[in-house]
Amino acid sequence: MCGIIGYVGAKPCASILLDGLKRLEYRGYDSAGLAIVNGRIQLRRSVGKLSNLEALLAEAPIEGSAGIGHTRWATHGRPSQANAHPHVVEDVAVVHNGIFENHMELRNVLESQGVRMSSDTDTEIAAHLVHQALNREGASLLEAVRETLKRIRGSYALAVVTSREPQTIIVAKNASPLVLGFGEDEMLCASDIPALLSHTRDIIQLEDGDLACITAGGAHIEDLNGRPVVRPMQHIEWSSVMAEKGGYKHFMLKEIFEQPRALEDTLRGRLHPEAATIHDYEIGLGPSALRSVQRVYLLACGTSYHSALVGRDYMESLARLSCNVELASEFRNREPVVGPGDLVIAISQSGETLDTLMAARLAKQRGAQVLAITNVLGSALARMSDGQFYTHAGPEIGVASTKCFTTQVAALLMLSIFLGRHTGGLTASRAAALIEQLTKAPQLMRQTLADLNEPMANLAKRYAHARDVLFLGRGLSYPIALEGALKLKEVSYIHAEGYAAGEMKHGPIALIDEQMPVIIIAPKDHHFDKTLSNLEEAKARDGQLVAITTSDAKADLARLSNDVFSVEPTDALLSPLLTVLPLQLFAYYVADAKGTDVDQPRNLAKTVTVE
C-alpha cells in the first residue's frame, strides 16, 4: 500500500505534490519521490521519512506545473533510492501502488531484449514497457499505457507522465484505489481523498479497469478497450482528519474494514492452483533446505503469538511436522534445544520486535534455518533471516493489531500448504481445495463485516461497563479467544481473559455469575459438540452468554445463548479469518463507548523495541 499524488495545472506543483504526500504518509514511509515535467523529467527521490525528501527539495528545488509523487510501502525490493518511485526511463516516469504478478516473466523478456534494470521493483517494468510502446510511430501516452496494461497481470494504481506530452497525466486502476480531483483549471489524482482536500472537494473515484487521461481542463475516462465510461462526481464534506481515516472515526475501525483488501494483497501472486501449491519465489528456502526440516518452531509476541498458535495447527495437520509455539521473550531467556534440522519461523508485524529478533538470532546461531513473517520489507528481522514471507497488509496505524493478525494467519496457512506439498503430508486434492477456499475468503470477510458491524456495536453498548469478560474456544478457536480478550483489554481497559474451553472447569468456571459476559467461539467443526457442553455449563452458572458460530449451527446455540452471531461456513482451517472479525468489532465499539483513546491506548506502543 503506497501513496500516489499527481497534479497538472498552472501552478508550480512541487509544493502541492509534497503536501499531498504528507497527507498520504500513513500509506507508506520507507521512501518517497517526485517527478516533474519541465522540458524534461526532473526527478528527486530519498529513502526514509518524507522529511528527507522535503530537505532534498529545499537543497535542490525543481520547477514545473505537472508532475507525480509517491510515498512507498515496499513490496518488491528493499527500501533504497534506486527502488524508490517514481521510476524514470528516459522521458517517461511512473508511480505505482500494487503488485504486478507477472513481473518476473516481463523482466526476463525485457532483459533478453538488452534492457538494463536499475532497481529490484516490479514498477520499473511498467516504465520500460510504456517507453517502448511510446516509441512506436504515432503512439500517444494514453495508447502506450493501454498497451502496457494489457501485458500486465495484477493490481495497480498507476500514474504516468512523459515530457513528450508535458501537460498530461495518464492514470489507471485495478484493485488499488485511485481518485481524481477536479479543481479550477487544474486536476489532481491521488490514491486517497486526503491528498486532494486542500485543493478540491469534487472527486471521482475510478473503478477497476478504468484508464483516464487528465489535463488541466478535466478528465477523459475509458476502459482498457478504449470505450468511454462515465463515473459519478462526489462532493466531499469530511474534514481532512476524517478523510485521512477514510471517513472512519478511528484508524482501528478503518483497519478492521481493510482486512479483505489486505488479505487479497497477501494472497496475490502466491497461490498456484494448477500445481496445488504456493509459489516459492518469495520464501527463500530451496529444495535441499526444505528436505532437511524435521521440526518447526514459531516464535512471536502478543497478537503475533496468537497467529502462531493458529499456525501450529496448520503445520501439524497439513505439513505433518512437529511444531512448537514459543513466546519469543521466554525462548531467548532459557536454553532451548534448537539447531540443525529445525525451521524457526519468527513472526513480527514490524520486523523490529526486540524479543522476537533476539530469539530468532539465537536460533540461527545454533544452526536453525530462520524464516521471517513480517509486514515490513527490509526490517531488521527480514534482513537477518534466511528467508522472508511478507504479509502485504500495508501500514497499520492503530496500536491494536487487526489486519496484521489476519494476514499473518493467511501467511502461515500458505506456508503450511507449501511445506505440506514438499513433505508429502498434504495431498494435491486437499491443497487445491484449501487454495480455492482462500480465494473466496476476502469476500466472506467483507460479508461478515457488513453483516455484523451494527449488531456488534449494539452488543458493545450493553457490555461497555462490564468489569470482566471471559472468552472461550477449542482448537483453532482457542487462539481466537485469546486474541478477542487481548483486543478488548488493549483498547477498552476491561479485564478480559481467553481460555481453552476444555479447561473451563479447571478454574475459570468459578468466576462465572450473572454479571459476567462469556463469549464462546464455536464454529461448526469437530470440536462443536464439546464446546456446546461448555456453553451449557456456563449457562447453568447464569453467565451472560454470547456465541460466535457459523450459520449452519446458529439454531443449536440460540436456545442456550443470550446472543448468537454467525459467519458463513468455510473450511474449518479458515474459520479464524472470519470468527476473529466480530471480536475485533466488539472490542472497538466497547472502547469507543467508554471514550478511551482507541488508536493509542495508554501504556502501549505499536512496536516493542525494548525488553
Side-chain angles (χ1 to χ4, degrees):
M1 187 168 75
C2 306
I4 289 173
I5 183 71
Y7 174 89
V8 57
K11 300 172 184 173
C13 69
S15 60
I16 295 171
L17 296 175
L18 191 63
D19 177 69
L21 291 181
K22 287 178 181 177
R23 298 174 189 277
L24 295 172
E25 194 170 14
Y26 72 93
R27 295 181 64 86
Y29 33 73
D30 59 39
S31 60
L34 302 182
I36 293 178
V37 184
N38 189 0
R40 58 186 177 86
I41 301 290
Q42 303 174 85
L43 179 67
R44 298 289 185 272
R45 300 186 294 185
S46 66
V47 179
K49 297 286 187 179
L50 196 56
S51 57
N52 296 338
L53 178 63
E54 191 171 18
L56 178 62
L57 288 166
E59 294 175 8
I62 50 179
E63 301 294 333
S65 59
I68 52 179
H70 190 271
T71 182
R72 184 172 186 242
W73 180 259
T75 54
H76 292 85
R78 64 183 179 83
S80 69
Q81 191 169 36
N83 290 331
H85 298 213
H87 287 283
V88 175
V89 175
E90 296 188 22
D91 55 2
V92 172
V94 176
V95 293
H96 166 227
N97 174 24
I99 298 172
F100 297 149
E101 295 179 13
N102 59 336
H103 71 99
M104 288 303 298
E105 172 189 330
L106 293 171
R107 178 182 286 265
N108 291 337
V109 170
L110 288 167
E111 288 177 340
S112 72
Q113 297 169 350
V115 171
R116 295 186 62 183
M117 296 289 174
S118 60
S119 77
D120 301 317
T121 69
D122 55 342
T123 304
E124 187 188 352
I125 289 158
H128 284 286
L129 293 175
V130 171
H131 182 259
Q132 287 183 348
L134 198 57
N135 282 339
R136 295 187 176 92
E137 185 175 353
S140 67
L141 182 58
L142 178 64
E143 291 165 341
V145 174
R146 182 189 296 117
E147 182 178 327
T148 295
L149 293 177
K150 288 181 177 180
R151 299 180 64 181
I152 285 172
R153 291 196 316 271
S155 64
Y156 54 79
L158 208 65
V160 187
V161 294
T162 177
S163 56
R164 304 185 203 188
E165 299 178 32
Q167 288 294 302
T168 299
I169 304 175
I170 304 299
V171 297
K173 176 198 181 310
N174 184 53
S176 290
L178 199 62
V179 183
L180 304 184
F182 291 73
E184 187 173 340
D185 298 321
E186 62 185 6
M187 282 289 298
L188 298 97
C189 62
S191 52
D192 209 350
I193 294 169
L196 307 177
L197 294 185
S198 296
H199 306 277
T200 181
R201 290 179 178 268
D202 295 320
I203 67 144
I204 284 178
Q205 301 203 45
L206 295 181
E207 301 291 340
D208 287 352
D210 284 355
L211 182 64
C213 175
I214 65 174
T215 63
H220 167 73
I221 308 172
E222 57 184 48
D223 64 20
L224 289 180
N225 295 313
R227 294 180 296 236
V229 295
V230 177
R231 301 299 179 204
M233 184 83 74
Q234 296 174 261
H235 185 76
I236 300 299
E237 301 289 353
W238 303 335
S239 70
S240 59
V241 173
M242 284 298 290
E244 191 170 295
K245 296 172 183 175
Y248 292 99
K249 188 174 182 180
H250 296 96
F251 277 110
M252 181 180 176
L253 186 60
K254 176 177 183 278
E255 288 157 4
I256 288 172
F257 276 87
E258 284 179 341
Q259 287 176 107
R261 190 275 312 157
L263 179 58
E264 286 171 339
D265 286 350
T266 298
L267 299 178
R268 186 173 287 116
R270 287 169 160 167
L271 303 180
H272 193 348
E274 297 84 2
T277 189
I278 307 299
H279 287 293
D280 63 355
Y281 60 85
E282 283 190 352
I283 298 173
L285 297 177
S288 61
L290 291 168
R291 282 193 294 271
S292 68
V293 174
Q294 300 172 3
R295 178 175 56 180
V296 176
Y297 279 94
L298 300 176
L299 306 181
C301 302
T303 285
S304 296
Y305 174 72
H306 299 156
S307 70
L309 290 171
V310 176
R312 176 175 60 192
D313 197 294
Y314 294 162
M315 286 289 168
E316 293 187 342
S317 63
L318 301 178
R320 304 304 297 154
L321 289 167
S322 174
C323 183
N324 298 324
V325 179
E326 300 269 3
L327 287 165
S329 56
E330 292 295 315
F331 182 88
R332 62 173 292 217
N333 287 309
R334 64 171 208 269
E335 288 295 322
V337 180
V338 62
D342 292 329
L343 173 61
V344 171
I345 301 175
I347 310 168
S348 166
Q349 180 277 137
S350 66
E352 305 291 342
T353 308
L354 183 64
D355 282 322
T356 306
L357 185 61
M358 293 298 102
R361 187 165 292 161
L362 171 64
K364 189 171 182 178
Q365 289 170 350
R366 297 192 176 188
Q369 297 179 85
V370 176
L371 176 66
I373 293 180
T374 178
N375 194 40
V376 181
L377 193 144
S379 60
L381 182 62
R383 294 196 305 272
M384 64 81 57
S385 298
D386 300 301
Q388 303 81 27
F389 199 74
Y390 291 104
T391 59
H392 294 304
E396 190 176 62
I397 308 302
V399 167
S401 183
T402 52
K403 61 181 178 174
C404 284
F405 172 77
T406 46
T407 53
Q408 285 172 357
V409 168
L412 286 162
L413 179 53
M414 285 190 284
L415 279 171
S416 299
I417 292 171
F418 177 75
L419 289 170
R421 296 294 288 133
H422 276 272
T423 63
L426 181 63
T427 65
S429 60
R430 176 65 173 137
L434 285 169
I435 290 170
E436 181 182 2
Q437 291 300 310
L438 267 172
T439 64
K440 298 176 180 178
Q443 185 53 39
L444 290 177
M445 293 175 82
R446 286 188 180 92
Q447 181 179 339
T448 300
L449 290 167
D451 291 347
L452 296 186
N453 182 48
E454 186 175 350
M456 297 316 293
N458 292 332
L459 184 74
K461 291 174 186 175
R462 286 172 31 209
Y463 292 122
H465 299 292
R467 189 184 67 179
D468 309 281
V469 180
L470 181 63
F471 292 75
L472 299 173
R474 285 178 180 264
L476 286 170
S477 297
Y478 167 50
I480 302 308
L482 293 173
E483 179 61 11
L486 178 61
K487 286 287 114 19
L488 185 63
K489 71 181 76 169
E490 281 180 320
V491 298
S492 74
Y493 316 145
I494 291 174
H495 171 254
E497 190 169 0
Y499 234 85
E503 293 291 296
M504 186 179 70
K505 291 188 289 293
H506 296 274
I509 198 169
L511 301 173
I512 298 174
D513 60 19
E514 67 279 359
Q515 300 299 317
M516 176 176 273
V518 180
I519 299 178
I520 299 181
I521 302 95
K524 188 78 170 182
D525 58 17
H526 66 281
H527 298 289
F528 181 75
D529 289 339
K530 290 182 179 179
T531 307
L532 199 62
S533 297
N534 298 133
L535 193 145
E536 300 234 26
E537 293 163 351
K539 181 72 172 177
R541 275 76 183 175
D542 297 321
Q544 301 299 302
L545 302 186
V546 177
I548 308 295
T549 187
T550 41
S551 57
D552 53 354
K554 190 171 183 179
D556 295 321
L557 295 173
R559 62 183 178 83
L560 295 171
S561 306
N562 299 78
D563 299 275
V564 183
F565 304 95
S566 65
V567 302
E568 287 303 300
T570 184
D571 190 288
L573 292 184
L574 275 70
S575 66
L577 295 173
L578 303 181
T579 56
V580 74
L581 302 179
L583 304 186
Q584 293 171 344
L585 290 168
F586 177 71
Y588 168 78
Y589 283 116
V590 169
D592 187 45
K594 289 171 65 71
T596 63
D597 190 340
V598 175
D599 288 332
Q600 295 181 313
R602 68 188 184 199
N603 305 331
L604 297 177
K606 185 64 182 171
T607 303
V608 181
T609 57
V610 296
E611 298 186 67

